[in-house]
Amino acid sequence: APNAQEGTSLTDDPEPAAAAPIDDDLLRILVCPVDRAELRAEDENLVCTRCARRYPIEDGIPNMLVALP
């Protein structure tokens, strides 16, 4: 008989990976790609301390892509 743990998916996890805090060492070295200011972690985003741009943290990885004008 299959174990109750088998067949569970990542979506069954009560706390998704995106909600995991970003590593402090990584946060210290990351800067805003637009103005090079420090970032702060806020909910599931990194927020620039200067321009207030928000970069989502997706599956524990900051998505810091910026659309070109």
Side-chain angles (χ1 to χ4, degrees):
N3 183 326
Q5 293 291 334
E6 293 175 358
T8 59
S9 70
L10 294 176
T11 57
D12 294 336
D13 190 34
E15 187 171 334
I22 190 162
D23 182 68
D24 287 337
D25 291 332
L26 180 58
L27 185 57
R28 276 193 286 274
I29 63 172
L30 291 175
V31 295
C32 176
V34 175
D35 59 18
R36 306 288 187 233
E38 292 182 9
L39 299 167
R40 71 175 182 276
E42 185 177 293
D43 298 322
E44 295 179 15
N45 297 285
L46 294 179
V47 181
C48 178
T49 58
R50 185 175 300 147
C51 69
R53 278 188 171 83
R54 301 176 73 80
Y55 303 99
I57 300 171
E58 301 167 350
D59 297 324
I61 301 168
N63 180 348
M64 300 177 67
L65 298 176
V66 177
L68 297 174

